[in-house]
Amino acid sequence: MAKMQTKPSGSSAYDMLLDAIDCGDLAPGSRLREVEIADRFGISRTPVREALKRLEQQGLVTHEPHHGAVVTVLDYREIGELYLVREVMEGTAARLAALHATDVEINVLREMVDADRAFVDNPGQLMRRNKLFHRQIHLLARNRFLDDLLENMRVSLVLLAGTTLAIPNRGDQSLDEHQAIVDAIARRDPDQAEKAARVHINSAYRARIRLQAELES
């Protein structure tokens, strides 16, 4: 019996649009025309309309006069606000991970950092692996309310154009910072784990400012 084809839902259209924004195919400022998006993904306009509405509610899509829907562009102040909140939440996640992670889970973190060093000259791949590392720490925090907040923040982070890991030496520096976080978690030192995570996000913010200046020059 042939498998029944399911009609694409607003949720699947949302995931496809979010992925396109995240990987840079739809950069901040890109116009989002329903017909073009529907053609691009081979779906009808109804799920696209639903997806755009959801993205707008999350702040990822903005309606501009004479342009219609566009991928939201964060200004300098908004980027700073995003990283400030990220520093607090990532620091809290690392603190909780130091309290709750098992030895097996800590070894997984160590293995992730070791494996990631092979991709230091591949910013795109390292960026994807970086997200997995942070996601793993979020899971080790074992706090569903913090996890929800971090997930909402992750969605907002897709609006940051490019990756700071493409900046010379930033890949190595970032992995050294990851190692410091893991070492503090392994010592069951919540204060140092939080401090290391905050240092890491603060370094990422400084790199973001440099990258933003280059993109705007």
Side-chain angles (χ1 to χ4, degrees), residues 18-180:
L18 186 61
D19 286 343
I21 296 171
D22 192 16
C23 71
D25 288 344
L26 290 173
S30 299
R31 296 183 68 177
L32 300 170
R33 299 181 178 89
E34 286 184 15
V35 174
E36 292 179 358
I37 294 171
D39 289 343
R40 175 177 184 161
F41 296 128
I43 58 179
S44 70
R45 293 177 63 179
T46 299
V48 171
R49 191 176 302 115
E50 294 172 0
L52 289 175
K53 183 177 181 180
R54 181 177 173 186
L55 289 167
E56 184 176 5
Q57 291 171 341
Q58 293 178 310
L60 272 65
V61 168
T62 305
H63 279 272
E64 293 186 351
H66 312 300
H67 287 90
V70 300
V71 179
T72 299
V73 178
L74 296 179
D75 61 27
Y76 186 85
R77 176 182 59 82
E78 290 169 329
I79 292 173
E81 292 171 348
L82 180 57
Y83 271 93
L84 175 62
V85 173
R86 187 184 182 194
E87 180 181 331
V88 172
M89 289 198 292
E90 294 283 5
T92 301
R95 165 176 284 277
L96 293 175
L99 296 173
H100 300 303
T102 66
D103 290 342
V104 171
E105 290 168 331
I106 292 171
N107 285 332
V108 169
L109 286 177
R110 286 197 177 106
E111 291 167 0
M112 292 177 79
V113 174
D114 289 342
D116 289 351
R117 293 194 184 278
F119 298 91
V120 71
D121 295 322
N122 186 336
Q125 185 65 18
L126 190 58
M127 177 184 69
R128 287 186 284 274
R129 298 179 69 90
N130 175 70
K131 292 176 181 178
L132 293 176
F133 174 82
H134 283 281
R135 179 60 185 151
Q136 186 65 19
I137 291 181
H138 301 167
L139 293 173
L140 302 190
R142 291 180 169 77
N143 186 301
R144 65 182 182 275
F145 298 105
L146 176 61
D147 195 53
D148 288 343
L149 292 171
L150 285 163
E151 177 61 20
N152 288 334
M153 182 189 66
R154 183 195 70 80
V155 171
S156 297
L157 287 171
V158 306
L159 293 174
L160 298 175
T163 173
T164 58
L165 296 172
I167 295 175
N169 302 318
R170 177 56 193 159
D172 282 318
Q173 181 187 28
S174 178
L175 292 176
D176 288 343
E177 291 162 1
H178 282 185
Q179 188 64 61

Side-chain angles (χ1 to χ4, degrees), residues 1-9 12 41-43:
M1 180 181 294
K3 185 178 180 180
M4 183 178 294
Q5 294 295 317
T6 58
K7 184 181 295 185
S9 66
S12 60
F41 296 128
I43 58 179

